[in-house]
Amino acid sequence: HQPPPDLSGVMSANKKAKVSHNGNGADSSAILASVQDYYGKVLSSTKDLKTTACCAAGKPHPALLEIFKKIPKEVTEKFYGCGSPLPFGIDGLRVLDLGSGSGRDCYAAAALVGEKGSVVGIDMTDEQLSVSRDHADAFCTKTLGYKKSNMSFIKGYIECLTDAGVKPGSFDIVMSNCVVNLSPDKKAVINEVYRALAPGGEFYFSDVYCDRRLPEHVQKHEVLWGECLAGALYDKDFERYARAAGFADPRILSVAPIEVEDYELLKVVGQAKFYSITYRLFKLPNLLETLCEDYGQAVKYKGTIKGSEDAYRLDAGHIFEKDKLALVCGNSAAMCGEDGLCWLSKHFEIIGDRKVHYGLFPCGPKDGSIQVTDGCGPGGCC
């Protein structure tokens, strides 16, 4: 267990974000102002949304549903997200939520990490921060029964975590829910997340992606920005950015289609297809390779993660049953805890090392397209 991150250097609420231009033809400051206004003033609840982008997730795990029932109504009503990026087995860990909004996922994470863990939410919208802060102490001390709150919220920009007082290597898990697409500088966000994570940590998050690069007139559409579509990255571009930042092997956990229900917006987006994708990006320096390599390794899941006692889903292509040996590539072995680095290491037994190389690991065929799945299809490098 690590001490909670020191956020004594939190940025002033009046400090302006230093966000670079992302080359999409849209002004960064205008985008940030538009998003702040849309989520702070235009939307009063999820009923005001014009697409399913911010509510595209499938039914959450029953254990999460039980936690959600305990969260104050005001927090859940102001929640906008496209998934449930809340990993199990994170007791005692340090969690950062990007664009935490009303704080629903932070409240759930506060329960999952336990009294010895810590959760920090960062958001740029005063109205949402007010909601998230109003109930935090009472939820932790009265609902969860902790001696003191393990949850806090800071104002800042996800492109500038350093300015918000987030120190290098200060978090074990970074999560976000339908937020990265709202940023005018996605490369900066991914780079900042990599810096904030401790070695062995993970960026576990859901967001909106597109099957193509969107034209400029779509990217400049103000309502589509607020609805999480105008900023949607072509999924292959996102994976390129992730690898460049240091996340060598992005893994897809699940994919769900997003429907544009408003006729006028449908005319703007044309034939572009949008998806909610939950990605897992592991920070495992010197362990992850660009391809699946075979070292004759295997893993055995111990069944120790509450909520996943019988089997653990690493990604859409890897489900590990309790006590059953499974052959894996070197990257998957690293993610499950090779060398004890990854946060998952205490839940897995790793058999074998990398002394002998047997060539490429036999991966299944992939055509490169987005695969809509309930979490049991192709994903990851093998």
Side-chain angles (χ1 to χ4, degrees), residues 199-250:
E202 177 186 359
F203 188 18
Y204 187 109
F205 70 110
S206 298
D207 221 298
V208 177
Y209 297 90
C210 191
D211 66 346
R212 64 196 69 193
R213 293 170 182 148
L214 292 170
E216 189 171 325
H217 75 278
V218 176
Q219 294 184 28
K220 287 185 173 181
H221 197 283
E222 187 169 324
V223 173
L224 287 175
W225 263 106
E227 292 282 328
C228 302
L229 298 183
L233 271 178
Y234 171 42
D235 65 307
K236 301 308 174 189
D237 282 343
F238 164 74
E239 291 179 5
R240 292 183 183 103
Y241 295 166
R243 291 188 178 97
F247 298 110
D249 186 6

Side-chain angles (χ1 to χ4, degrees), residues 138-194:
F139 178 77
C140 290
T141 58
K142 296 180 180 179
T143 304
L144 299 180
Y146 298 163
K147 292 181 180 178
K148 62 179 181 178
S149 176
N150 67 345
M151 176 170 51
S152 61
F153 296 91
I154 59 175
K155 183 169 182 177
Y157 298 88
I158 63 175
E159 303 87 355
C160 312
L161 296 179
T162 303
D163 290 342
V166 176
K167 296 181 178 180
S170 57
F171 288 94
D172 305 300
I173 301 289
V174 176
M175 62 184 191
S176 75
N177 199 335
C178 202
V179 168
V180 177
N181 72 87
L182 295 172
S183 171
D185 193 349
K186 297 169 180 62
K187 288 183 181 179
V189 175
I190 299 168
N191 289 331
E192 282 286 87
V193 169
Y194 190 85

Side-chain angles (χ1 to χ4, degrees), residues 3-23:
D6 177 11
L7 295 173
S8 58
V10 172
M11 68 182 285
S12 161
N14 296 320
K15 189 169 183 178
K16 201 163 185 178
K18 303 171 187 175
V19 183
S20 62
H21 196 279
N22 70 341

Side-chain angles (χ1 to χ4, degrees), residues 258-378:
I258 291 171
E259 296 180 11
V260 180
E261 298 172 338
D262 185 271
Y263 178 67
E264 294 301 318
L265 295 183
L266 191 59
K267 289 193 295 184
V268 177
V269 301
Q271 293 301 305
K273 300 294 187 294
F274 298 90
Y275 302 87
S276 167
I277 302 179
T278 299
Y279 271 102
R280 304 191 71 171
L281 307 182
F282 291 88
K283 181 176 180 177
L284 297 166
N286 304 317
L287 283 176
L288 297 183
E289 301 181 85
T290 56
L291 294 174
C292 296
E293 303 295 344
D294 188 353
Y295 297 97
Q297 293 169 294
V299 302
K300 183 193 293 185
Y301 173 53
K302 298 177 182 179
T304 51
I305 295 178
K306 187 177 180 180
S308 300
E309 290 87 353
D310 296 327
Y312 183 78
R313 177 171 289 156
L314 178 66
D315 57 44
H318 295 82
I319 300 177
F320 300 114
E321 293 186 54
K322 178 185 177 183
D323 294 332
K324 181 180 179 181
L325 280 177
L327 295 175
V328 293
C329 71
N331 284 0
S332 292
M335 294 173 188
C336 291
E338 182 183 9
D339 292 345
L341 182 59
C342 185
W343 72 270
L344 283 168
S345 62
K346 66 181 181 181
H347 302 294
F348 283 87
E349 179 184 352
I350 311 299
I351 295 90
D353 51 37
R354 303 196 184 198
K355 292 179 180 179
V356 180
H357 180 233
Y358 299 97
L360 283 177
F361 192 90
C363 301
K366 294 189 290 183
D367 62 9
S369 61
I370 297 176
Q371 303 287 329
V372 178
T373 173
D374 62 358
C376 197

